[in-house]
Amino acid sequence: MATEQPASLDPTQLDAYFALIEVTSLLRHAVEQQLKDAGDLSYVQFQLLARLGDSPSGSHRMTDLADGVVYSRSGLTYQAQLLEQRGLVTRAPAPDDERSTIVTITDEGRAVLSKVFPGHRALLTELLFDPLTTADVSALAGVLGRVRDHMRAAPPRSAAPRRRKGA
Amino acid sequence: MATEQPASLDPTQLDAYFALIEVTSLLRHAVEQQLKDAGDLSYVQFQLLARLGDSPSGSHRMTDLADGVVYSRSGLTYQAQLLEQRGLVTRAPAPDDERSTIVTITDEGRAVLSKVFPGHRALLTELLFDPLTTADVSALAGVLGRVRDHMRAAPPRSAAPRRRKGA
DNA sequence: GTTGTTTGCTTCGAATCCGAAGCACTGAGG
DNA sequence: CCTCAGTGCTTCGGATTCGAAGCAAACAAC
């Protein structure tokens, strides 16, 4: 009963929402399977390696990785340990800030990445892009890009930094 | 060097893919938080209740639920147990096939569902639909709907039913 | 420089997740 | 009827996940 009535979502919105969830779930499961078969990587591990591989220095701070991949800090620590054990990344304290840990992809990490990439691309093409026209893909990228920017700009209502002093 | 070159994805495709993953991750985390706060439900639990609530009979078989929600069988068993313990659903063997388990939403389950819905809608509106025009939403629903149909039609390369006899 | 706060990461415990193996029922053949 | 394959679900074990709490470096205010 406030100024805005909750106004149930209209059917098109529901369609969009459900399709979004469903497509992503299916895609994710398929990709996870492929990554595991091709290089024994979890989806997160792949995302981490990919991000590191994209970086000019091949490095990133833990926090930036967690943030980019939308993952909990503790979860990232765990995955980074696994990757380090396999020799796919190295971890070292940052020179300028002893608190930060800099994760860097190794040659072996890059090797795994390139071993896995072709299958990844093929799967995406087959599942996601095959049924779409170029225009569709553009539209998708445009619309979702806008949503992403919106979400990134306005963090959760409770952008809970650790224990605020004032409310 | 086969007949088809892997042909790296073009930039627009990458944009679409990354935006898709990122938007869904962010959205999912936000929704999970809201559901937990509002009704102490996990995302899966909410999806299950919602599906049951949509059904005319308020019931579904376990397998159909797992399939619809894209979840492992064992995971579904676990979640269904939790929901049953809380009295939000009941479980009973199917009359016509003793193997199947029919899950049915209870009045209490519906109550929780309706307690959680408004906040859910509000969150979706705020995060997902706010930055989009009606046309955008239509486009999204159309494109993703097509992808979903495509994915559902062509199950994973290894549509591994249990241990095939031939191959 | 010293105290108090913030920030970056890890450790800890509990919850959740999945695949493999197991159990129970069904249906087809003989 | 008996067997055998197929299906539906659960159990089991191990891996992954997260949030809360802990620790250490950095920064601000004095």
Side-chain angles (χ1 to χ4, degrees):
Chain A
M1 331 318 192
T3 38
E4 312 184 30
Q5 32 184 202
S8 187
L9 304 170
D10 69 56
T12 309
Q13 287 179 321
L14 282 180
D15 284 351
Y17 176 48
F18 289 151
L20 178 67
I21 296 303
E22 202 169 338
V23 162
T24 312
S25 293
L26 290 168
L27 183 59
R28 185 169 185 127
H29 279 277
V31 167
E32 248 157 23
Q33 191 57 52
Q34 187 268 321
L35 290 173
K36 191 180 162 192
D37 292 347
D40 201 33
L41 291 177
S42 72
Y43 194 45
V44 198
Q45 290 172 343
F46 172 69
Q47 283 183 298
L48 295 177
L49 288 182
R51 263 173 196 273
L52 292 173
D54 265 353
S55 162
S57 62
S59 309
H60 274 306
R61 297 190 318 149
M62 291 287 280
T63 292
D64 296 335
L65 281 174
D67 215 51
V69 163
V70 188
Y71 215 63
S72 73
R73 309 298 167 96
S74 49
L76 180 62
T77 295
Y78 178 72
Q79 291 295 344
Q81 279 172 347
L82 293 185
L83 288 175
E84 189 179 30
Q85 281 167 19
R86 286 180 56 185
L88 306 185
V89 305
T90 60
R91 293 193 298 165
D96 59 328
D97 185 340
E98 284 286 329
R99 290 170 303 178
S100 301
T101 299
I102 301 291
V103 184
T104 307
I105 189 170
T106 64
D107 288 345
E108 200 175 341
R110 289 184 193 278
V112 172
L113 209 45
S114 51
K115 188 174 66 169
V116 159
F117 258 136
H120 186 64
R121 277 196 303 259
L123 187 59
L124 286 183
T125 301
E126 178 185 327
L127 288 181
L128 181 59
F129 298 124
D130 243 35
L132 301 182
T133 66
T134 305
D136 287 337
V137 177
S138 293
L140 201 58
V143 169
L144 289 179
R146 209 162 336 129
V147 174
R148 181 198 50 212
D149 294 344
H150 174 72
M151 284 178 166
R152 288 288 196 192
R157 303 82 127 40
S158 58
R162 205 138 31 160
R163 177 164 39 100
R164 262 305 196 209
K165 53 172 161 188
Chain B
M1 328 309 197
T3 38
E4 313 185 30
Q5 32 186 202
S8 187
L9 304 170
D10 68 57
T12 309
Q13 288 179 321
L14 282 179
D15 283 351
Y17 176 49
F18 289 151
L20 177 67
I21 296 303
E22 201 170 339
V23 162
T24 312
S25 293
L26 290 168
L27 184 58
R28 185 169 184 127
H29 279 277
V31 167
E32 248 157 22
Q33 190 58 52
Q34 188 268 320
L35 290 173
K36 191 179 162 193
D37 292 348
D40 200 33
L41 292 177
S42 72
Y43 195 44
V44 198
Q45 290 173 343
F46 172 70
Q47 283 183 298
L48 295 177
L49 288 181
R51 263 173 196 272
L52 293 174
D54 266 352
S55 163
S57 62
S59 310
H60 274 303
R61 296 190 318 151
M62 291 287 281
T63 293
D64 296 334
L65 281 175
D67 215 51
V69 163
V70 188
Y71 215 62
S72 74
R73 309 302 170 94
S74 49
L76 180 61
T77 295
Y78 178 71
Q79 291 295 343
Q81 279 174 345
L82 294 184
L83 288 175
E84 189 179 30
Q85 282 168 18
R86 287 180 54 184
L88 306 185
V89 304
T90 60
R91 292 194 298 167
D96 59 329
D97 185 340
E98 284 287 329
R99 289 170 303 178
S100 301
T101 298
I102 302 290
V103 185
T104 307
I105 188 171
T106 63
D107 288 345
E108 200 175 341
R110 290 186 193 275
V112 171
L113 210 43
S114 52
K115 188 175 67 169
V116 158
F117 258 136
H120 185 64
R121 279 196 302 259
L123 187 57
L124 286 182
T125 301
E126 178 185 326
L127 288 181
L128 181 59
F129 298 124
D130 242 37
L132 301 182
T133 66
T134 306
D136 287 337
V137 177
S138 293
L140 201 58
V143 170
L144 289 179
R146 210 164 333 131
V147 174
R148 182 198 49 212
D149 294 344
H150 175 73
M151 285 178 166
R152 289 286 196 191
R157 301 82 126 42
S158 58
R162 204 136 35 157
R163 179 163 36 102
R164 263 302 195 211
K165 55 173 161 188

